[in-house]
Amino acid sequence: ENNTARAIGRGADATMKRIPEPELMTEEEQARAYANANFAEPHQRVIDLFRATFPDWPGVGHVLDLGCGPGDIALRFARAYPACEVDGVDGAPAMLAAGRHLFERDPEAGRRVRLHLALLPRDPAPRARYDAVISNSLLHHLHDPHVFWSAVRRHAAPGAPVLMVDLMRPASPEEAQRLTDLHAAGEPDVLRRDFHHSLFAAFTPDEVRDQLRHHGLDGFTVAAISDRHLMAHGRMPGA
């Protein structure tokens, strides 16, 4: 919070610098708030974006969800593609535990989803290669974004579709506050606080493009998809 205050003190005409936040959501209060929050619309949008971006993907094989949290998106993906299996990985035990009730409500899709405790870059994903990789709101949590793209490089099979959705850092602290007031006004304090801090920790589209170039993924596309979100997508080279 002191870092955020210092950033605000620089004034609206300054370019807002990135302020990383804790990488893991380890608090039980956080985990419960995220598991119980109504993220149906943004989570379903990830599935809809994947389907629209890769309409020819057959929906067969193994899918990796990096930073799966309680597992809602992994379940939605399994529901949308009944012939696939999804491995969700997350480094926070509290987040994984908080999603158990989601699987109780959808046992059919849940049979094709497995959640794994894995902390990047120390722990590999359960499989060496995946037929598709998805991720929502993980990148901004990582102090070193190259950890994320290295995992994509390591685990996405040649030709595999990759779709990453994340927050997008606004141009000023004032804009970050405006977005927080607009989009998190009715949320619990913990979610409002985390959203505000996450805006400061997020990357800009140009920064993500630089990350992709560093990892030889120049063919990926990066675009803003809302006033606070960006998307990066492409197929892994080498097919």
Side-chain angles (χ1 to χ4, degrees):
E1 292 181 43
N2 291 336
N3 287 340
T4 302
R6 284 197 292 271
I8 292 173
R10 285 197 291 265
D13 58 343
T15 300
M16 192 168 89
K17 294 182 179 179
R18 182 180 187 237
I19 302 175
E21 62 180 353
E23 290 195 333
L24 297 178
M25 294 185 180
T26 56
E27 301 173 15
E28 289 189 14
E29 179 192 12
Q30 279 181 305
R32 283 195 303 270
Y34 277 86
N36 294 328
N38 182 12
F39 290 130
E41 183 177 347
H43 286 182
Q44 184 58 41
R45 191 183 186 197
V46 174
I47 310 305
D48 296 341
L49 286 167
F50 185 94
R51 193 187 292 278
T53 305
F54 304 107
D56 59 339
W57 190 65
V60 177
H62 295 88
V63 180
L64 176 62
D65 181 4
L66 288 168
C68 64
D72 183 50
I73 289 178
L75 275 172
R76 289 174 183 274
F77 199 96
R79 211 175 291 141
Y81 294 98
C84 78
E85 297 184 14
V86 184
D87 283 335
V89 299
D90 200 282
M95 293 296 283
L96 296 175
R100 287 177 184 147
H101 70 282
L102 298 175
F103 289 78
E104 294 169 359
R105 293 204 300 256
D106 194 346
E108 193 285 320
R111 279 192 289 271
R112 291 181 288 109
V113 177
R114 289 166 297 278
L115 302 186
H116 305 267
L117 180 65
L119 182 64
L120 300 176
R122 182 190 70 198
D123 303 318
R127 298 178 62 87
R129 293 286 191 172
Y130 286 87
D131 301 292
V133 175
I134 61 174
S135 182
N136 180 65
S137 296
L138 171 62
L139 186 65
H140 75 267
H141 280 291
L142 299 174
H143 293 175
D144 179 2
H146 298 297
V147 166
F148 176 84
W149 296 113
S150 293
V152 171
R153 262 292 192 187
R154 183 165 62 249
H155 292 299
V162 175
L163 183 137
M164 185 278 295
V165 177
D166 204 275
L167 288 171
M168 178 172 61
R169 192 168 78 249
S172 69
E174 289 78 10
E175 178 64 5
Q177 187 61 56
R178 186 190 73 80
L179 291 170
T180 302
D181 293 341
L182 177 64
H183 296 293
E187 300 295 346
D189 288 345
V190 62
L191 293 186
R192 194 162 55 249
R193 177 202 70 193
D194 283 357
F195 178 65
H196 189 251
H197 288 179
S198 292
L199 288 171
F200 281 81
F203 295 96
T204 67
D206 281 343
E207 288 170 343
V208 175
R209 291 185 188 100
D210 287 342
Q211 296 162 18
L212 289 165
R213 278 192 289 271
H214 180 84
H215 289 272
L217 299 173
D218 309 60
F220 278 38
T221 298
V222 181
I225 56 173
S226 79
D227 61 353
R228 63 202 183 281
H229 292 104
L230 57 76
M231 176 175 73
H233 62 87
R235 287 187 177 271
M236 289 299 293

mmCIF file with all atom_site columns, all heavy atoms in Angstrom, residues 47 65 70-80 86 99 102-104 106-113:
data_model
loop_
_atom_site.group_PDB
_atom_site.id
_atom_site.type_symbol
_atom_site.label_atom_id
_atom_site.label_alt_id
_atom_site.label_comp_id
_atom_site.label_asym_id
_atom_site.label_entity_id
_atom_site.label_seq_id
_atom_site.pdbx_PDB_ins_code
_atom_site.Cartn_x
_atom_site.Cartn_y
_atom_site.Cartn_z
_atom_site.occupancy
_atom_site.B_iso_or_equiv
_atom_site.pdbx_formal_charge
_atom_site.auth_seq_id
_atom_site.auth_comp_id
_atom_site.auth_asym_id
_atom_site.auth_atom_id
_atom_site.pdbx_PDB_model_num
ATOM 1   N N   . ILE A 1 47  ? -13.738 -18.649 -22.215 1.00 0.00 ? 47  ILE A N   1
ATOM 2   C CA  . ILE A 1 47  ? -14.122 -19.788 -23.061 1.00 0.00 ? 47  ILE A CA  1
ATOM 3   C C   . ILE A 1 47  ? -14.609 -19.293 -24.414 1.00 0.00 ? 47  ILE A C   1
ATOM 4   O O   . ILE A 1 47  ? -14.234 -19.835 -25.460 1.00 0.00 ? 47  ILE A O   1
ATOM 5   C CB  . ILE A 1 47  ? -15.216 -20.621 -22.368 1.00 0.00 ? 47  ILE A CB  1
ATOM 6   C CG1 . ILE A 1 47  ? -14.824 -20.961 -20.921 1.00 0.00 ? 47  ILE A CG1 1
ATOM 7   C CG2 . ILE A 1 47  ? -15.505 -21.874 -23.178 1.00 0.00 ? 47  ILE A CG2 1
ATOM 8   C CD1 . ILE A 1 47  ? -13.509 -21.647 -20.768 1.00 0.00 ? 47  ILE A CD1 1
ATOM 9   N N   . ASP A 1 65  ? -4.393  -25.376 -17.843 1.00 0.00 ? 65  ASP A N   1
ATOM 10  C CA  . ASP A 1 65  ? -4.872  -24.082 -17.348 1.00 0.00 ? 65  ASP A CA  1
ATOM 11  C C   . ASP A 1 65  ? -3.862  -23.589 -16.312 1.00 0.00 ? 65  ASP A C   1
ATOM 12  O O   . ASP A 1 65  ? -3.802  -24.101 -15.200 1.00 0.00 ? 65  ASP A O   1
ATOM 13  C CB  . ASP A 1 65  ? -6.264  -24.243 -16.735 1.00 0.00 ? 65  ASP A CB  1
ATOM 14  C CG  . ASP A 1 65  ? -6.838  -22.931 -16.211 1.00 0.00 ? 65  ASP A CG  1
ATOM 15  O OD1 . ASP A 1 65  ? -6.191  -21.873 -16.382 1.00 0.00 ? 65  ASP A OD1 1
ATOM 16  O OD2 . ASP A 1 65  ? -7.943  -22.960 -15.622 1.00 0.00 ? 65  ASP A OD2 1
ATOM 17  N N   . PRO A 1 70  ? -9.553  -21.521 -8.128  1.00 0.00 ? 70  PRO A N   1
ATOM 18  C CA  . PRO A 1 70  ? -10.486 -22.556 -7.651  1.00 0.00 ? 70  PRO A CA  1
ATOM 19  C C   . PRO A 1 70  ? -10.948 -23.525 -8.733  1.00 0.00 ? 70  PRO A C   1
ATOM 20  O O   . PRO A 1 70  ? -11.624 -24.500 -8.425  1.00 0.00 ? 70  PRO A O   1
ATOM 21  C CB  . PRO A 1 70  ? -11.675 -21.731 -7.123  1.00 0.00 ? 70  PRO A CB  1
ATOM 22  C CG  . PRO A 1 70  ? -11.129 -20.372 -6.880  1.00 0.00 ? 70  PRO A CG  1
ATOM 23  C CD  . PRO A 1 70  ? -10.066 -20.168 -7.918  1.00 0.00 ? 70  PRO A CD  1
ATOM 24  N N   . GLY A 1 71  ? -10.651 -23.258 -9.998  1.00 0.00 ? 71  GLY A N   1
ATOM 25  C CA  . GLY A 1 71  ? -10.950 -24.227 -11.044 1.00 0.00 ? 71  GLY A CA  1
ATOM 26  C C   . GLY A 1 71  ? -12.185 -23.957 -11.863 1.00 0.00 ? 71  GLY A C   1
ATOM 27  O O   . GLY A 1 71  ? -12.583 -24.801 -12.674 1.00 0.00 ? 71  GLY A O   1
ATOM 28  N N   . ASP A 1 72  ? -12.798 -22.790 -11.713 1.00 0.00 ? 72  ASP A N   1
ATOM 29  C CA  . ASP A 1 72  ? -14.051 -22.524 -12.427 1.00 0.00 ? 72  ASP A CA  1
ATOM 30  C C   . ASP A 1 72  ? -13.836 -22.505 -13.945 1.00 0.00 ? 72  ASP A C   1
ATOM 31  O O   . ASP A 1 72  ? -14.637 -23.068 -14.703 1.00 0.00 ? 72  ASP A O   1
ATOM 32  C CB  . ASP A 1 72  ? -14.652 -21.197 -11.960 1.00 0.00 ? 72  ASP A CB  1
ATOM 33  C CG  . ASP A 1 72  ? -15.997 -20.914 -12.609 1.00 0.00 ? 72  ASP A CG  1
ATOM 34  O OD1 . ASP A 1 72  ? -16.866 -21.804 -12.597 1.00 0.00 ? 72  ASP A OD1 1
ATOM 35  O OD2 . ASP A 1 72  ? -16.183 -19.811 -13.146 1.00 0.00 ? 72  ASP A OD2 1
ATOM 36  N N   . ILE A 1 73  ? -12.775 -21.858 -14.422 1.00 0.00 ? 73  ILE A N   1
ATOM 37  C CA  . ILE A 1 73  ? -12.538 -21.796 -15.869 1.00 0.00 ? 73  ILE A CA  1
ATOM 38  C C   . ILE A 1 73  ? -12.184 -23.178 -16.407 1.00 0.00 ? 73  ILE A C   1
ATOM 39  O O   . ILE A 1 73  ? -12.633 -23.557 -17.504 1.00 0.00 ? 73  ILE A O   1
ATOM 40  C CB  . ILE A 1 73  ? -11.447 -20.760 -16.183 1.00 0.00 ? 73  ILE A CB  1
ATOM 41  C CG1 . ILE A 1 73  ? -11.986 -19.347 -15.949 1.00 0.00 ? 73  ILE A CG1 1
ATOM 42  C CG2 . ILE A 1 73  ? -10.942 -20.902 -17.616 1.00 0.00 ? 73  ILE A CG2 1
ATOM 43  C CD1 . ILE A 1 73  ? -10.988 -18.242 -16.179 1.00 0.00 ? 73  ILE A CD1 1
ATOM 44  N N   . ALA A 1 74  ? -11.402 -23.950 -15.677 1.00 0.00 ? 74  ALA A N   1
ATOM 45  C CA  . ALA A 1 74  ? -11.084 -25.309 -16.107 1.00 0.00 ? 74  ALA A CA  1
ATOM 46  C C   . ALA A 1 74  ? -12.360 -26.133 -16.275 1.00 0.00 ? 74  ALA A C   1
ATOM 47  O O   . ALA A 1 74  ? -12.513 -26.883 -17.258 1.00 0.00 ? 74  ALA A O   1
ATOM 48  C CB  . ALA A 1 74  ? -10.145 -25.973 -15.099 1.00 0.00 ? 74  ALA A CB  1
ATOM 49  N N   . LEU A 1 75  ? -13.282 -26.001 -15.340 1.00 0.00 ? 75  LEU A N   1
ATOM 50  C CA  . LEU A 1 75  ? -14.558 -26.713 -15.444 1.00 0.00 ? 75  LEU A CA  1
ATOM 51  C C   . LEU A 1 75  ? -15.368 -26.230 -16.633 1.00 0.00 ? 75  LEU A C   1
ATOM 52  O O   . LEU A 1 75  ? -15.956 -27.036 -17.376 1.00 0.00 ? 75  LEU A O   1
ATOM 53  C CB  . LEU A 1 75  ? -15.369 -26.525 -14.156 1.00 0.00 ? 75  LEU A CB  1
ATOM 54  C CG  . LEU A 1 75  ? -15.071 -27.471 -13.001 1.00 0.00 ? 75  LEU A CG  1
ATOM 55  C CD1 . LEU A 1 75  ? -15.808 -27.008 -11.755 1.00 0.00 ? 75  LEU A CD1 1
ATOM 56  C CD2 . LEU A 1 75  ? -15.483 -28.899 -13.345 1.00 0.00 ? 75  LEU A CD2 1
ATOM 57  N N   . ARG A 1 76  ? -15.410 -24.926 -16.836 1.00 0.00 ? 76  ARG A N   1
ATOM 58  C CA  . ARG A 1 76  ? -16.156 -24.385 -17.976 1.00 0.00 ? 76  ARG A CA  1
ATOM 59  C C   . ARG A 1 76  ? -15.565 -24.857 -19.297 1.00 0.00 ? 76  ARG A C   1
ATOM 60  O O   . ARG A 1 76  ? -16.294 -25.139 -20.252 1.00 0.00 ? 76  ARG A O   1
ATOM 61  C CB  . ARG A 1 76  ? -16.177 -22.855 -17.909 1.00 0.00 ? 76  ARG A CB  1
ATOM 62  C CG  . ARG A 1 76  ? -17.038 -22.295 -16.799 1.00 0.00 ? 76  ARG A CG  1
ATOM 63  C CD  . ARG A 1 76  ? -16.911 -20.775 -16.679 1.00 0.00 ? 76  ARG A CD  1
ATOM 64  N NE  . ARG A 1 76  ? -17.683 -20.286 -15.560 1.00 0.00 ? 76  ARG A NE  1
ATOM 65  C CZ  . ARG A 1 76  ? -18.986 -19.966 -15.614 1.00 0.00 ? 76  ARG A CZ  1
ATOM 66  N NH1 . ARG A 1 76  ? -19.623 -20.059 -16.770 1.00 0.00 ? 76  ARG A NH1 1
ATOM 67  N NH2 . ARG A 1 76  ? -19.625 -19.542 -14.550 1.00 0.00 ? 76  ARG A NH2 1
ATOM 68  N N   . PHE A 1 77  ? -14.238 -24.942 -19.353 1.00 0.00 ? 77  PHE A N   1
ATOM 69  C CA  . PHE A 1 77  ? -13.590 -25.409 -20.573 1.00 0.00 ? 77  PHE A CA  1
ATOM 70  C C   . PHE A 1 77  ? -13.945 -26.877 -20.831 1.00 0.00 ? 77  PHE A C   1
ATOM 71  O O   . PHE A 1 77  ? -14.259 -27.257 -21.970 1.00 0.00 ? 77  PHE A O   1
ATOM 72  C CB  . PHE A 1 77  ? -12.078 -25.234 -20.470 1.00 0.00 ? 77  PHE A CB  1
ATOM 73  C CG  . PHE A 1 77  ? -11.386 -25.262 -21.805 1.00 0.00 ? 77  PHE A CG  1
ATOM 74  C CD1 . PHE A 1 77  ? -11.076 -24.082 -22.460 1.00 0.00 ? 77  PHE A CD1 1
ATOM 75  C CD2 . PHE A 1 77  ? -11.042 -26.466 -22.400 1.00 0.00 ? 77  PHE A CD2 1
ATOM 76  C CE1 . PHE A 1 77  ? -10.439 -24.100 -23.695 1.00 0.00 ? 77  PHE A CE1 1
ATOM 77  C CE2 . PHE A 1 77  ? -10.403 -26.495 -23.634 1.00 0.00 ? 77  PHE A CE2 1
ATOM 78  C CZ  . PHE A 1 77  ? -10.104 -25.306 -24.282 1.00 0.00 ? 77  PHE A CZ  1
ATOM 79  N N   . ALA A 1 78  ? -13.907 -27.691 -19.795 1.00 0.00 ? 78  ALA A N   1
ATOM 80  C CA  . ALA A 1 78  ? -14.263 -29.100 -19.945 1.00 0.00 ? 78  ALA A CA  1
ATOM 81  C C   . ALA A 1 78  ? -15.716 -29.260 -20.374 1.00 0.00 ? 78  ALA A C   1
ATOM 82  O O   . ALA A 1 78  ? -16.060 -30.162 -21.146 1.00 0.00 ? 78  ALA A O   1
ATOM 83  C CB  . ALA A 1 78  ? -14.004 -29.846 -18.631 1.00 0.00 ? 78  ALA A CB  1
ATOM 84  N N   . ARG A 1 79  ? -16.565 -28.379 -19.890 1.00 0.00 ? 79  ARG A N   1
ATOM 85  C CA  . ARG A 1 79  ? -17.979 -28.421 -20.268 1.00 0.00 ? 79  ARG A CA  1
ATOM 86  C C   . ARG A 1 79  ? -18.151 -28.058 -21.748 1.00 0.00 ? 79  ARG A C   1
ATOM 87  O O   . ARG A 1 79  ? -18.956 -28.645 -22.463 1.00 0.00 ? 79  ARG A O   1
ATOM 88  C CB  . ARG A 1 79  ? -18.742 -27.429 -19.387 1.00 0.00 ? 79  ARG A CB  1
ATOM 89  C CG  . ARG A 1 79  ? -20.179 -27.802 -19.076 1.00 0.00 ? 79  ARG A CG  1
ATOM 90  C CD  . ARG A 1 79  ? -20.765 -26.797 -18.103 1.00 0.00 ? 79  ARG A CD  1
ATOM 91  N NE  . ARG A 1 79  ? -20.177 -26.905 -16.777 1.00 0.00 ? 79  ARG A NE  1
ATOM 92  C CZ  . ARG A 1 79  ? -19.885 -25.871 -15.988 1.00 0.00 ? 79  ARG A CZ  1
ATOM 93  N NH1 . ARG A 1 79  ? -20.102 -24.638 -16.399 1.00 0.00 ? 79  ARG A NH1 1
ATOM 94  N NH2 . ARG A 1 79  ? -19.372 -26.075 -14.805 1.00 0.00 ? 79  ARG A NH2 1
ATOM 95  N N   . ALA A 1 80  ? -17.363 -27.065 -22.196 1.00 0.00 ? 80  ALA A N   1
ATOM 96  C CA  . ALA A 1 80  ? -17.480 -26.591 -23.570 1.00 0.00 ? 80  ALA A CA  1
ATOM 97  C C   . ALA A 1 80  ? -16.901 -27.590 -24.570 1.00 0.00 ? 80  ALA A C   1
ATOM 98  O O   . ALA A 1 80  ? -17.343 -27.660 -25.719 1.00 0.00 ? 80  ALA A O   1
ATOM 99  C CB  . ALA A 1 80  ? -16.781 -25.241 -23.723 1.00 0.00 ? 80  ALA A CB  1
ATOM 100 N N   . VAL A 1 86  ? -8.616  -31.560 -18.724 1.00 0.00 ? 86  VAL A N   1
ATOM 101 C CA  . VAL A 1 86  ? -7.974  -30.315 -18.321 1.00 0.00 ? 86  VAL A CA  1
ATOM 102 C C   . VAL A 1 86  ? -7.175  -30.523 -17.040 1.00 0.00 ? 86  VAL A C   1
ATOM 103 O O   . VAL A 1 86  ? -7.702  -31.041 -16.049 1.00 0.00 ? 86  VAL A O   1
ATOM 104 C CB  . VAL A 1 86  ? -9.017  -29.193 -18.100 1.00 0.00 ? 86  VAL A CB  1
ATOM 105 C CG1 . VAL A 1 86  ? -8.312  -27.870 -17.772 1.00 0.00 ? 86  VAL A CG1 1
ATOM 106 C CG2 . VAL A 1 86  ? -9.912  -29.026 -19.326 1.00 0.00 ? 86  VAL A CG2 1
ATOM 107 N N   . GLY A 1 99  ? -12.117 -24.399 -4.286  1.00 0.00 ? 99  GLY A N   1
ATOM 108 C CA  . GLY A 1 99  ? -12.933 -24.744 -5.443  1.00 0.00 ? 99  GLY A CA  1
ATOM 109 C C   . GLY A 1 99  ? -13.613 -26.095 -5.373  1.00 0.00 ? 99  GLY A C   1
ATOM 110 O O   . GLY A 1 99  ? -14.298 -26.486 -6.318  1.00 0.00 ? 99  GLY A O   1
ATOM 111 N N   . LEU A 1 102 ? -17.239 -26.427 -6.381  1.00 0.00 ? 102 LEU A N   1
ATOM 112 C CA  . LEU A 1 102 ? -17.553 -26.296 -7.804  1.00 0.00 ? 102 LEU A CA  1
ATOM 113 C C   . LEU A 1 102 ? -17.635 -27.671 -8.456  1.00 0.00 ? 102 LEU A C   1
ATOM 114 O O   . LEU A 1 102 ? -18.497 -27.916 -9.312  1.00 0.00 ? 102 LEU A O   1
ATOM 115 C CB  . LEU A 1 102 ? -16.488 -25.452 -8.510  1.00 0.00 ? 102 LEU A CB  1
ATOM 116 C CG  . LEU A 1 102 ? -16.327 -24.006 -8.052  1.00 0.00 ? 102 LEU A CG  1
ATOM 117 C CD1 . LEU A 1 102 ? -15.145 -23.362 -8.765  1.00 0.00 ? 102 LEU A CD1 1
ATOM 118 C CD2 . LEU A 1 102 ? -17.597 -23.202 -8.322  1.00 0.00 ? 102 LEU A CD2 1
ATOM 119 N N   . PHE A 1 103 ? -16.758 -28.562 -8.060  1.00 0.00 ? 103 PHE A N   1
ATOM 120 C CA  . PHE A 1 103 ? -16.728 -29.889 -8.648  1.00 0.00 ? 103 PHE A CA  1
ATOM 121 C C   . PHE A 1 103 ? -17.895 -30.736 -8.154  1.00 0.00 ? 103 PHE A C   1
ATOM 122 O O   . PHE A 1 103 ? -18.375 -31.610 -8.872  1.00 0.00 ? 103 PHE A O   1
ATOM 123 C CB  . PHE A 1 103 ? -15.397 -30.562 -8.332  1.00 0.00 ? 103 PHE A CB  1
ATOM 124 C CG  . PHE A 1 103 ? -14.241 -29.951 -9.076  1.00 0.00 ? 103 PHE A CG  1
ATOM 125 C CD1 . PHE A 1 103 ? -13.687 -28.748 -8.660  1.00 0.00 ? 103 PHE A CD1 1
ATOM 126 C CD2 . PHE A 1 103 ? -13.728 -30.554 -10.206 1.00 0.00 ? 103 PHE A CD2 1
ATOM 127 C CE1 . PHE A 1 103 ? -12.644 -28.166 -9.353  1.00 0.00 ? 103 PHE A CE1 1
ATOM 128 C CE2 . PHE A 1 103 ? -12.685 -29.986 -10.907 1.00 0.00 ? 103 PHE A CE2 1
ATOM 129 C CZ  . PHE A 1 103 ? -12.141 -28.784 -10.492 1.00 0.00 ? 103 PHE A CZ  1
ATOM 130 N N   . GLU A 1 104 ? -18.337 -30.468 -6.947  1.00 0.00 ? 104 GLU A N   1
ATOM 131 C CA  . GLU A 1 104 ? -19.507 -31.186 -6.431  1.00 0.00 ? 104 GLU A CA  1
ATOM 132 C C   . GLU A 1 104 ? -20.756 -30.833 -7.226  1.00 0.00 ? 104 GLU A C   1
ATOM 133 O O   . GLU A 1 104 ? -21.642 -31.663 -7.410  1.00 0.00 ? 104 GLU A O   1
ATOM 134 C CB  . GLU A 1 104 ? -19.700 -30.853 -4.949  1.00 0.00 ? 104 GLU A CB  1
ATOM 135 C CG  . GLU A 1 104 ? -18.580 -31.373 -4.060  1.00 0.00 ? 104 GLU A CG  1
ATOM 136 C CD  . GLU A 1 104 ? -18.664 -30.809 -2.651  1.00 0.00 ? 104 GLU A CD  1
ATOM 137 O OE1 . GLU A 1 104 ? -19.586 -30.003 -2.389  1.00 0.00 ? 104 GLU A OE1 1
ATOM 138 O OE2 . GLU A 1 104 ? -17.803 -31.160 -1.813  1.00 0.00 ? 104 GLU A OE2 1
ATOM 139 N N   . ASP A 1 106 ? -20.811 -30.063 -10.437 1.00 0.00 ? 106 ASP A N   1
ATOM 140 C CA  . ASP A 1 106 ? -20.710 -30.509 -11.829 1.00 0.00 ? 106 ASP A CA  1
ATOM 141 C C   . ASP A 1 106 ? -19.800 -31.738 -11.903 1.00 0.00 ? 106 ASP A C   1
ATOM 142 O O   . ASP A 1 106 ? -18.696 -31.674 -12.429 1.00 0.00 ? 106 ASP A O   1
ATOM 143 C CB  . ASP A 1 106 ? -20.160 -29.386 -12.704 1.00 0.00 ? 106 ASP A CB  1
ATOM 144 C CG  . ASP A 1 106 ? -20.340 -29.664 -14.187 1.00 0.00 ? 106 ASP A CG  1
ATOM 145 O OD1 . ASP A 1 106 ? -20.631 -30.820 -14.544 1.00 0.00 ? 106 ASP A OD1 1
ATOM 146 O OD2 . ASP A 1 106 ? -20.189 -28.735 -15.001 1.00 0.00 ? 106 ASP A OD2 1
ATOM 147 N N   . PRO A 1 107 ? -20.274 -32.866 -11.392 1.00 0.00 ? 107 PRO A N   1
ATOM 148 C CA  . PRO A 1 107 ? -19.405 -34.047 -11.338 1.00 0.00 ? 107 PRO A CA  1
ATOM 149 C C   . PRO A 1 107 ? -19.029 -34.587 -12.713 1.00 0.00 ? 107 PRO A C   1
ATOM 150 O O   . PRO A 1 107 ? -17.952 -35.164 -12.877 1.00 0.00 ? 107 PRO A O   1
ATOM 151 C CB  . PRO A 1 107 ? -20.238 -35.065 -10.550 1.00 0.00 ? 107 PRO A CB  1
ATOM 152 C CG  . PRO A 1 107 ? -21.657 -34.587 -10.683 1.00 0.00 ? 107 PRO A CG  1
ATOM 153 C CD  . PRO A 1 107 ? -21.585 -33.103 -10.772 1.00 0.00 ? 107 PRO A CD  1
ATOM 154 N N   . GLU A 1 108 ? -19.878 -34.397 -13.728 1.00 0.00 ? 108 GLU A N   1
ATOM 155 C CA  . GLU A 1 108 ? -19.569 -34.948 -15.052 1.00 0.00 ? 108 GLU A CA  1
ATOM 156 C C   . GLU A 1 108 ? -18.335 -34.272 -15.633 1.00 0.00 ? 108 GLU A C   1
ATOM 157 O O   . GLU A 1 108 ? -17.367 -34.921 -16.026 1.00 0.00 ? 108 GLU A O   1
ATOM 158 C CB  . GLU A 1 108 ? -20.765 -34.774 -15.994 1.00 0.00 ? 108 GLU A CB  1
ATOM 159 C CG  . GLU A 1 108 ? -20.655 -35.585 -17.290 1.00 0.00 ? 108 GLU A CG  1
ATOM 160 C CD  . GLU A 1 108 ? -19.685 -34.999 -18.295 1.00 0.00 ? 108 GLU A CD  1
ATOM 161 O OE1 . GLU A 1 108 ? -19.644 -33.751 -18.439 1.00 0.00 ? 108 GLU A OE1 1
ATOM 162 O OE2 . GLU A 1 108 ? -18.936 -35.769 -18.928 1.00 0.00 ? 108 GLU A OE2 1
ATOM 163 N N   . ALA A 1 109 ? -18.374 -32.933 -15.693 1.00 0.00 ? 109 ALA A N   1
ATOM 164 C CA  . ALA A 1 109 ? -17.194 -32.214 -16.184 1.00 0.00 ? 109 ALA A CA  1
ATOM 165 C C   . ALA A 1 109 ? -16.022 -32.377 -15.226 1.00 0.00 ? 109 ALA A C   1
ATOM 166 O O   . ALA A 1 109 ? -14.868 -32.450 -15.643 1.00 0.00 ? 109 ALA A O   1
ATOM 167 C CB  . ALA A 1 109 ? -17.525 -30.735 -16.376 1.00 0.00 ? 109 ALA A CB  1
ATOM 168 N N   . GLY A 1 110 ? -16.332 -32.441 -13.933 1.00 0.00 ? 110 GLY A N   1
ATOM 169 C CA  . GLY A 1 110 ? -15.283 -32.557 -12.932 1.00 0.00 ? 110 GLY A CA  1
ATOM 170 C C   . GLY A 1 110 ? -14.446 -33.805 -13.075 1.00 0.00 ? 110 GLY A C   1
ATOM 171 O O   . GLY A 1 110 ? -13.274 -33.818 -12.682 1.00 0.00 ? 110 GLY A O   1
ATOM 172 N N   . ARG A 1 111 ? -15.014 -34.859 -13.646 1.00 0.00 ? 111 ARG A N   1
ATOM 173 C CA  . ARG A 1 111 ? -14.242 -36.097 -13.841 1.00 0.00 ? 111 ARG A CA  1
ATOM 174 C C   . ARG A 1 111 ? -13.120 -35.905 -14.856 1.00 0.00 ? 111 ARG A C   1
ATOM 175 O O   . ARG A 1 111 ? -12.160 -36.680 -14.877 1.00 0.00 ? 111 ARG A O   1
ATOM 176 C CB  . ARG A 1 111 ? -15.182 -37.224 -14.295 1.00 0.00 ? 111 ARG A CB  1
ATOM 177 C CG  . ARG A 1 111 ? -15.961 -37.883 -13.167 1.00 0.00 ? 111 ARG A CG  1
ATOM 178 C CD  . ARG A 1 111 ? -16.631 -39.157 -13.623 1.00 0.00 ? 111 ARG A CD  1
ATOM 179 N NE  . ARG A 1 111 ? -17.754 -38.888 -14.515 1.00 0.00 ? 111 ARG A NE  1
ATOM 180 C CZ  . ARG A 1 111 ? -19.006 -38.693 -14.096 1.00 0.00 ? 111 ARG A CZ  1
ATOM 181 N NH1 . ARG A 1 111 ? -19.276 -38.720 -12.799 1.00 0.00 ? 111 ARG A NH1 1
ATOM 182 N NH2 . ARG A 1 111 ? -19.977 -38.458 -14.954 1.00 0.00 ? 111 ARG A NH2 1
ATOM 183 N N   . ARG A 1 112 ? -13.219 -34.880 -15.687 1.00 0.00 ? 112 ARG A N   1
ATOM 184 C CA  . ARG A 1 112 ? -12.192 -34.638 -16.710 1.00 0.00 ? 112 ARG A CA  1
ATOM 185 C C   . ARG A 1 112 ? -11.285 -33.463 -16.352 1.00 0.00 ? 112 ARG A C   1
ATOM 186 O O   . ARG A 1 112 ? -10.518 -32.996 -17.188 1.00 0.00 ? 112 ARG A O   1
ATOM 187 C CB  . ARG A 1 112 ? -12.867 -34.406 -18.064 1.00 0.00 ? 112 ARG A CB  1
ATOM 188 C CG  . ARG A 1 112 ? -13.535 -35.667 -18.615 1.00 0.00 ? 112 ARG A CG  1
ATOM 189 C CD  . ARG A 1 112 ? -14.173 -35.434 -19.977 1.00 0.00 ? 112 ARG A CD  1
ATOM 190 N NE  . ARG A 1 112 ? -15.380 -34.622 -19.870 1.00 0.00 ? 112 ARG A NE  1
ATOM 191 C CZ  . ARG A 1 112 ? -15.491 -33.357 -20.279 1.00 0.00 ? 112 ARG A CZ  1
ATOM 192 N NH1 . ARG A 1 112 ? -14.450 -32.753 -20.836 1.00 0.00 ? 112 ARG A NH1 1
ATOM 193 N NH2 . ARG A 1 112 ? -16.617 -32.697 -20.145 1.00 0.00 ? 112 ARG A NH2 1
ATOM 194 N N   . VAL A 1 113 ? -11.400 -32.998 -15.120 1.00 0.00 ? 113 VAL A N   1
ATOM 195 C CA  . VAL A 1 113 ? -10.568 -31.880 -14.655 1.00 0.00 ? 113 VAL A CA  1
ATOM 196 C C   . VAL A 1 113 ? -9.801  -32.322 -13.416 1.00 0.00 ? 113 VAL A C   1
ATOM 197 O O   . VAL A 1 113 ? -10.376 -32.885 -12.485 1.00 0.00 ? 113 VAL A O   1
ATOM 198 C CB  . VAL A 1 113 ? -11.424 -30.635 -14.320 1.00 0.00 ? 113 VAL A CB  1
ATOM 199 C CG1 . VAL A 1 113 ? -10.542 -29.516 -13.778 1.00 0.00 ? 113 VAL A CG1 1
ATOM 200 C CG2 . VAL A 1 113 ? -12.195 -30.170 -15.542 1.00 0.00 ? 113 VAL A CG2 1
#
